[in-house]
Amino acid sequence: MKRFLNTRETIVTEAIDGLLLSSGGNKLARLDGYPHIKVIVRKDWDKSKVAIVSGGGAGHEPAHAGFVGAGMLTAAVSGEIFASPSVDAVLAGILAVTGDAGCLLIVKNYTGDRLNFGLAAEKAKQMGRKVEMVIVADDIAIPDAPKPRGIAGTLFVHKVAGHLAEKGASLDVVKQAALEAAKATYSLGISLSSCTIPGQEPQRRSGEKAHRQAELGLGIHGEPGVATIEPKSVQHVVDMMVEVLDKKLPGEHKFALLINDLGAVPPIEMSVVANEVVNRFGKRVEIVFGPGPLMTSLDMNGFSLSLVELNDQRREALLSPVEPIAWIRGTKLETPTILPMPKFAHLAQFEASHNDRAAALVKAVCEELIAKESELNALDAKVGDGDTGTTFANAARSVVEKFSAKALPLNNPSQLCLAVGELLGKTMGGSSGVLMSIFFTAAGTEMAKSNSWHAAFEAGIGAVQHYGGAKAGDRTMLDAMIPAIAELKSGSLNAAADAAEKGAIATASMTKAGAGRSSYVGSTNLIGIQDPGATAISFAFAAAVKAS
Amino acid sequence: MKRFLNTRETIVTEAIDGLLLSSGGNKLARLDGYPHIKVIVRKDWDKSKVAIVSGGGAGHEPAHAGFVGAGMLTAAVSGEIFASPSVDAVLAGILAVTGDAGCLLIVKNYTGDRLNFGLAAEKAKQMGRKVEMVIVADDIAIPDAPKPRGIAGTLFVHKVAGHLAEKGASLDVVKQAALEAAKATYSLGISLSSCTIPGQEPQRRSGEKAHRQAELGLGIHGEPGVATIEPKSVQHVVDMMVEVLDKKLPGEHKFALLINDLGAVPPIEMSVVANEVVNRFGKRVEIVFGPGPLMTSLDMNGFSLSLVELNDQRREALLSPVEPIAWIRGTKLETPTILPMPKFAHLAQFEASHNDRAAALVKAVCEELIAKESELNALDAKVGDGDTGTTFANAARSVVEKFSAKALPLNNPSQLCLAVGELLGKTMGGSSGVLMSIFFTAAGTEMAKSNSWHAAFEAGIGAVQHYGGAKAGDRTMLDAMIPAIAELKSGSLNAAADAAEKGAIATASMTKAGAGRSSYVGSTNLIGIQDPGATAISFAFAAAVKAS
């Protein structure tokens, strides 16, 4: 299985059933004619206004069934993949929704669709219904084509006709507006690969060169386009498309632009396309629809651009809200708003100060961590990647540097914590650096409120657990920190250091690391080895005791 | 170029700019911090309510920037492709939108995101902002994972928090609801291929077997899943996914379901998936969102299912309308409505009758067309596929059959036309069959009104031109029909037959076929050859003259 489908024979009816069972589906109904008659209608329709009916081959979803709903289509008639629905299917659709106000058929310019919808229209007329048909031929790819194809620009015609019909306009008015919208619409597609028709082998151009090619101006069934190009970038592709479109577009006009995903272009790429296209057209585009998948061609890796000349009637119709969720609400283009960056505090803002005890503690802890670099690295080599010593030593060296430069706010415990937090976030590296930065930042913030080392460090521990996701027993530095900081409540640094050491030793019997790099190491390799992070913490506490 | 992008370095900022320049983009703004600070905010935001901030690596579009807007996110912070945004970027986002009501960060459970958002939160707190963070870990793929990943179910949490914040709830209330929603959410993904990371070669499993494989329970960055399976159909895939989900889902609950396209599954296939999934879950699913691309993984050919337990708060929050167009409005599931087929008339309804002149005409024309089968085929072999004679002869034989069975309404010209139209639509085949059916149906309808052969045939010709798209001079049967029927106005069948013959002869000098099969033939091959369709028409008129 290369595509998400069950059987080729059931894909269309299953997709329609899926539509009825998903977002917006409870506003729709279908006619009881499976598998031959595949007609989707508005469930709330009372035939009081002009009915708008469209359809054609399947494979272009969400077109057309996805656009059935107030303000757009009244009914959609689906054929099989890329094959026109039968005359009976179209006739069933017309009869199901057409009241005294009549019905407008909107048909893409393919012979099969024209003839089947056309004959159905004549049969419906013979049965006394008022039926008109508008043919959309918006594809401008092939110069002087006698019968240009109908592609995604058809949706503009649906929208204009649907809006007027919903407002209660007469069939003549709706038809005239649809005709004019169809004439004022210009579309062009491009694709990096054709589509995979269910039950057939993928259509691939052969050879390495083919991988670099794109088809410009192709149809929505993978029909050949006007040229095969070697695209270099989205910019290059869009430049070429706009050049071709510009030859047909009337000057001095404002347009609405529809950016249509042909099936398999992911949203991030479609946004890159949108950026390029809108910038390229500049002020000529007043309203943008999309990007998004509106008229697809199965899994085609391509997109199409459709433009329609705006007038007051079409501007209002295109921007009016509609019920179908497949329609992407348009927006009037504005110059993007760029807001100034908020200002935020950095280390430089802390005021340096001196305090003997703090100086001694900071110095002792840092020197100890620098001294234990090799020992901690060796320990980490057994259970991790051997850099715990260097990570802590580097962090300590950066603090020593600021200390020696007398740049630390030693006499302000809150600011000292914040300064160390700021510094470690930049110098320590890796997840440990961010975690230690979180610890000291949270501690400094709490210290400003409570002026208690115990409360401050508890806050730091809490933040490390919350954001880091590790807990006691996970074989991390927390196994030394948590018991040590708990002892600080009594005010005894000695007791805290003892607890840190015991905690670090206890990690040697923890055979499953719940977090951190050791979580990737098998448990037999962990037995008897202390966690290097917890050990570093116990060294730091021991050094603090000596200095105090 | 295999994907639509310009450069790997600019894809994320270009995609954000594209968002700002497309549907819904005029409601958004960005901070002035490119390329490092990629923060999108609501343009209308006044900081009067709790701010909801989310984000993470890029490549998951429309998440998260696409969900910024009233009722969902206040700001989104984007990193590079699959890489967490920096602490400074997150802090900028928080500071840009957080007022006295505070800010809730919603973060998917990845270490980088947790730590960078976490440190930013602590810094913002230190600067006096009220900030809370909720971590979403909805991926249930890996049994007993210590840190389940956050995937598309995160959107439920955005929606719940966004709704409450918009309603003016306090930070505590919003956070509690988000926490509970996160805990009640269960997601699982599947993919037929991994994603193509810009600037890297596509990640492909090698060998023929790999083409049949799918990854069950993979992450949104292409991380391995719980199993590699060989899927047979969508049904098979969905069965397996529901089996895995069922082991985790609490029983006796109603759920909302989100069906998420991971990037490159076209809409028709997503609808097939939706049909299978909704049917498989049955009455347990009360509300459906999607299918559609909501939290993608670049161009991954896969989808994910997310379910959240419903309670009154979440039901209201999930169904409330929101501003961002990327959000797909949910729908309460109902049993699909299937309406009865409209009844329409068929040939059997016409009442047989006799008329000498009509009988003679019908018989003569049919016999002539049968007699000329080989001659017309030979003519067509020079400019087409050599079957015009057989097409007309088969049509004539089917009329003769009904004639011999005395089944035709010969004494009612309108009904006779309609009956012949009905018959030819079924028996003549191809485009010609539908066109002749259109001709006689339109003629019969007009005949009932005006009782004029000339008016009736003019109506028929009009319909053939309108639906078929050919006109006089296009080298089709119209070139005999149009002049012949014009002569009918005077009532002279002789004059009509002469005009038909002249018209048919004139086609021999038409070197460009504007429609029909000959439009595929080079002009040098057409010189001197009469159009077979026009010739058949002239034969028919000649036969009618003889019989009258």
Side-chain angles (χ1 to χ4, degrees):
Chain A
M1 190 172 86
K2 291 171 191 172
R3 310 285 342 156
F4 289 104
L5 55 91
N6 289 315
T7 73
R8 181 173 50 123
E9 291 72 23
T10 56
I11 182 169
V12 181
T13 52
E14 287 180 70
I16 292 171
D17 286 343
L19 173 69
L20 294 173
L21 287 173
S22 55
S23 280
N26 62 5
K27 311 265 185 185
L28 305 175
R30 72 168 176 90
L31 296 188
D32 187 15
Y34 273 179
H36 298 302
I37 310 285
K38 295 177 282 285
V39 174
I40 299 85
V41 301
R42 278 174 66 171
K43 202 154 75 174
D44 65 347
W45 184 242
D46 63 2
K47 299 191 183 181
S48 62
K49 299 171 184 169
V50 172
I52 310 291
V53 176
S54 191
H60 307 303
E61 289 66 17
H64 295 281
F67 298 115
V68 174
M72 283 190 82
L73 302 181
T74 319
V77 186
S78 177
E80 288 298 310
I81 298 286
F82 294 172
S84 176
S86 69
V87 175
D88 280 1
V90 180
L91 183 55
I94 296 170
L95 296 177
V97 296
T98 304
D100 291 344
C103 170
L104 179 68
L105 302 180
I106 299 173
V107 177
K108 298 192 297 302
N109 193 18
Y110 299 97
T111 303
D113 286 338
R114 289 179 71 135
L115 297 183
N116 290 324
F117 279 80
L119 181 49
E122 289 305 312
K123 290 191 174 209
K125 281 185 196 173
Q126 187 266 315
M127 293 167 74
R129 304 309 194 280
K130 279 199 294 181
V131 184
E132 296 284 354
M133 178 163 138
V134 168
I135 295 158
V136 187
D138 55 317
D139 183 14
I140 57 98
I142 298 163
D144 309 319
K147 291 189 171 183
R149 298 173 290 222
I151 56 177
T154 307
L155 297 169
F156 285 139
V157 185
H158 292 169
K159 188 74 176 66
V160 168
H163 172 71
L164 290 170
E166 194 68 32
K167 274 179 65 182
S170 71
L171 179 56
D172 281 351
V173 168
V174 176
K175 178 195 169 187
Q176 190 57 33
L179 267 177
E180 288 168 11
K183 273 188 199 145
T185 299
Y186 308 84
S187 296
L188 185 66
I190 188 144
S191 175
L192 298 179
S193 66
S194 195
C195 48
T196 319
I197 296 171
Q200 299 182 15
E201 278 302 298
Q203 299 169 29
R204 300 236 182 276
R205 292 182 290 270
S206 59
E208 188 51 38
K209 192 179 168 197
H211 280 292
R212 299 195 304 270
Q213 288 183 338
E215 189 82 18
L216 180 65
L218 80 173
I220 53 173
H221 312 93
E223 307 97 323
V226 64
T228 302
I229 61 172
E230 292 199 15
K232 293 175 185 68
S233 62
V234 170
Q235 196 182 350
H236 179 212
V237 163
V238 169
D239 276 351
M240 278 197 291
M241 293 175 82
V242 174
E243 193 185 314
V244 175
L245 281 160
D246 261 342
K247 286 181 190 151
K248 292 276 183 175
L249 290 179
E252 313 266 326
H253 260 91
K254 292 281 188 180
F255 295 92
L257 165 70
L258 185 153
I259 307 171
N260 175 50
D261 185 343
L262 281 166
V265 184
I268 188 172
E269 295 179 34
M270 286 306 301
S271 285
V272 170
V273 166
N275 182 47
E276 210 66 61
V277 172
V278 172
N279 279 315
R280 189 67 172 70
F281 276 113
K283 296 242 176 274
R284 284 188 292 171
V285 169
E286 181 184 317
I287 306 173
V288 177
F289 296 89
L294 293 153
M295 173 92 70
T296 61
S297 179
L298 295 169
D299 63 342
M300 190 178 282
N301 184 22
F303 66 90
S304 65
L305 305 177
S306 297
L307 295 107
V308 63
E309 292 171 47
L310 286 172
N311 57 23
D312 287 345
Q313 184 191 54
R314 288 201 278 274
R315 190 176 282 111
E316 181 196 313
L318 292 173
L319 286 173
S320 68
V322 294
E323 189 178 57
I325 62 155
W327 179 250
I328 300 176
R329 189 178 68 209
T331 197
K332 285 208 173 196
L333 268 185
E334 292 175 12
T335 307
T337 303
I338 302 176
L339 301 174
M341 275 281 288
K343 306 242 181 300
F344 40 84
H346 281 290
L347 188 59
Q349 292 181 251
F350 299 115
E351 197 180 332
S353 58
H354 186 71
N355 175 295
D356 281 340
R357 184 160 186 253
L361 275 171
V362 167
K363 196 159 173 284
V365 168
C366 289
E367 285 173 355
E368 177 71 355
L369 289 173
I370 292 167
K372 297 289 192 185
E373 180 171 359
S374 304
E375 185 177 333
L376 288 169
N377 277 346
L379 194 60
D380 189 35
K382 297 179 185 169
V383 295
D385 51 1
D387 67 353
T388 300
T390 301
T391 302
F392 276 89
N394 280 345
R397 278 188 277 264
S398 74
V399 176
V400 167
E401 189 193 333
K402 293 287 173 193
F403 177 83
S404 304
K406 298 191 193 302
L408 293 177
L410 289 169
N411 202 32
N412 182 331
S414 167
Q415 289 207 354
L416 181 57
C417 286
L418 295 172
V420 171
E422 181 81 33
L423 197 56
L424 298 191
K426 293 199 171 15
T427 59
M428 193 169 172
S431 297
S432 324
V434 186
L435 282 166
M436 291 310 295
S437 185
I438 287 172
F439 177 83
F440 282 108
T441 305
T445 306
E446 175 60 30
M447 180 65 88
K449 292 182 203 158
S450 64
N451 201 29
S452 149
W453 281 105
H454 171 255
F457 281 4
E458 285 283 354
I461 281 286
V464 166
Q465 289 187 277
H466 179 45
Y467 300 125
K471 53 190 188 307
D474 274 347
R475 207 190 142 92
T476 70
M477 50 183 181
L478 285 173
D479 291 313
M481 289 172 93
I482 291 171
I485 289 165
E487 289 296 337
L488 280 185
K489 195 169 188 180
S490 67
S492 162
L493 192 52
N494 264 321
D498 282 352
E501 191 181 357
K502 278 186 197 144
I505 290 168
T507 59
S509 57
M510 295 175 186
T511 54
K512 191 160 189 292
R517 197 171 297 268
S518 293
S519 58
Y520 303 106
V521 177
S523 59
T524 51
N525 295 323
L526 298 176
I527 295 172
I529 318 285
Q530 280 187 212
D531 176 67
T535 307
I537 299 297
S538 75
F539 289 163
F541 270 96
V545 167
K546 276 190 210 162
S548 66
Chain B
M1 191 171 86
K2 291 171 189 172
R3 311 284 344 155
F4 288 105
L5 54 91
N6 289 315
T7 73
R8 182 173 48 123
E9 291 72 24
T10 56
I11 182 169
V12 181
T13 52
E14 288 180 70
I16 292 172
D17 286 342
L19 173 70
L20 293 173
L21 286 173
S22 55
S23 281
N26 62 4
K27 311 266 186 185
L28 305 175
R30 70 167 177 91
L31 295 189
D32 186 15
Y34 273 178
H36 299 302
I37 309 286
K38 295 178 282 283
V39 175
I40 298 86
V41 301
R42 276 175 66 171
K43 201 154 74 174
D44 65 346
W45 184 242
D46 63 1
K47 299 192 182 182
S48 62
K49 299 169 184 171
V50 172
I52 310 291
V53 176
S54 191
H60 307 303
E61 288 68 16
H64 296 279
F67 298 115
V68 173
M72 283 191 82
L73 302 182
T74 319
V77 186
S78 177
E80 288 298 311
I81 298 286
F82 294 173
S84 176
S86 69
V87 175
D88 281 0
V90 180
L91 183 55
I94 296 171
L95 295 177
V97 296
T98 305
D100 291 343
C103 170
L104 180 68
L105 303 179
I106 300 172
V107 177
K108 298 192 298 302
N109 193 18
Y110 299 96
T111 303
D113 286 337
R114 289 178 70 136
L115 297 183
N116 290 325
F117 278 80
L119 180 49
E122 289 306 313
K123 291 193 174 208
K125 281 185 195 172
Q126 187 267 315
M127 294 170 74
R129 304 308 196 280
K130 280 199 293 182
V131 184
E132 296 284 353
M133 177 163 138
V134 167
I135 294 158
V136 186
D138 55 317
D139 183 14
I140 58 98
I142 298 163
D144 309 318
K147 290 189 172 180
R149 297 172 290 222
I151 55 176
T154 307
L155 296 170
F156 285 140
V157 184
H158 292 169
K159 188 71 176 68
V160 168
H163 172 71
L164 290 170
E166 194 67 32
K167 274 178 65 181
S170 71
L171 180 57
D172 281 353
V173 168
V174 175
K175 178 195 168 186
Q176 190 57 33
L179 267 177
E180 288 168 11
K183 273 188 198 147
T185 299
Y186 309 83
S187 296
L188 185 65
I190 188 143
S191 175
L192 298 179
S193 67
S194 193
C195 48
T196 318
I197 296 172
Q200 299 182 14
E201 278 302 298
Q203 299 168 31
R204 301 236 181 277
R205 292 182 290 271
S206 59
E208 187 50 39
K209 194 180 167 194
H211 279 293
R212 298 195 306 269
Q213 289 182 339
E215 189 82 19
L216 180 65
L218 80 172
I220 53 172
H221 312 94
E223 307 97 322
V226 63
T228 301
I229 61 172
E230 292 198 15
K232 292 175 187 70
S233 62
V234 169
Q235 196 181 351
H236 179 214
V237 163
V238 169
D239 275 353
M240 279 198 291
M241 293 177 81
V242 174
E243 195 185 312
V244 175
L245 281 159
D246 261 342
K247 287 182 190 150
K248 292 277 183 175
L249 290 178
E252 312 266 326
H253 260 92
K254 292 281 188 178
F255 295 92
L257 165 70
L258 184 154
I259 307 171
N260 174 51
D261 185 342
L262 281 166
V265 184
I268 188 171
E269 294 179 34
M270 287 306 300
S271 284
V272 170
V273 166
N275 182 46
E276 210 66 60
V277 172
V278 172
N279 278 314
R280 189 66 171 69
F281 277 113
K283 296 246 177 266
R284 285 188 290 170
V285 169
E286 183 184 315
I287 306 173
V288 177
F289 296 88
L294 294 153
M295 173 91 72
T296 62
S297 179
L298 294 170
D299 62 342
M300 191 178 281
N301 184 21
F303 66 88
S304 65
L305 305 177
S306 297
L307 295 107
V308 62
E309 292 170 48
L310 286 172
N311 58 23
D312 288 345
Q313 186 191 52
R314 288 201 278 272
R315 189 176 282 111
E316 182 197 313
L318 291 173
L319 286 174
S320 68
V322 293
E323 190 179 56
I325 62 154
W327 179 249
I328 300 176
R329 189 177 68 209
T331 197
K332 287 209 172 197
L333 268 184
E334 293 175 12
T335 307
T337 304
I338 302 175
L339 301 173
M341 275 281 287
K343 305 239 182 301
F344 41 84
H346 282 289
L347 187 61
Q349 291 180 254
F350 299 116
E351 198 179 333
S353 59
H354 185 72
N355 176 296
D356 281 339
R357 184 161 184 254
L361 276 171
V362 168
K363 195 159 171 285
V365 169
C366 289
E367 284 174 354
E368 176 72 355
L369 289 172
I370 292 166
K372 297 289 191 185
E373 180 172 359
S374 305
E375 185 177 334
L376 288 169
N377 278 345
L379 194 60
D380 188 36
K382 297 178 185 169
V383 294
D385 52 0
D387 66 354
T388 300
T390 302
T391 302
F392 277 89
N394 280 344
R397 278 187 279 264
S398 74
V399 177
V400 167
E401 189 193 334
K402 293 289 173 191
F403 177 84
S404 304
K406 298 192 194 303
L408 292 177
L410 289 169
N411 202 32
N412 181 329
S414 168
Q415 290 207 353
L416 181 58
C417 285
L418 295 172
V420 171
E422 181 80 34
L423 197 56
L424 298 191
K426 293 199 170 19
T427 59
M428 193 168 171
S431 297
S432 326
V434 186
L435 282 166
M436 292 309 296
S437 185
I438 287 172
F439 177 84
F440 282 108
T441 305
T445 307
E446 175 60 31
M447 181 65 91
K449 292 181 205 156
S450 64
N451 202 30
S452 148
W453 280 104
H454 171 255
F457 280 5
E458 285 284 353
I461 280 287
V464 166
Q465 289 187 277
H466 179 45
Y467 301 124
K471 54 191 188 307
D474 274 348
R475 208 189 142 91
T476 69
M477 50 183 181
L478 285 173
D479 291 313
M481 289 171 92
I482 291 172
I485 291 165
E487 290 295 337
L488 280 185
K489 195 168 187 183
S490 67
S492 163
L493 192 54
N494 264 319
D498 283 349
E501 192 182 354
K502 277 186 196 143
I505 290 168
T507 59
S509 57
M510 295 175 186
T511 54
K512 191 159 190 291
R517 197 171 298 268
S518 292
S519 57
Y520 304 106
V521 177
S523 59
T524 51
N525 294 323
L526 298 176
I527 296 172
I529 317 285
Q530 279 188 212
D531 177 67
T535 308
I537 298 298
S538 77
F539 289 163
F541 270 96
V545 167
K546 277 188 209 164
S548 66

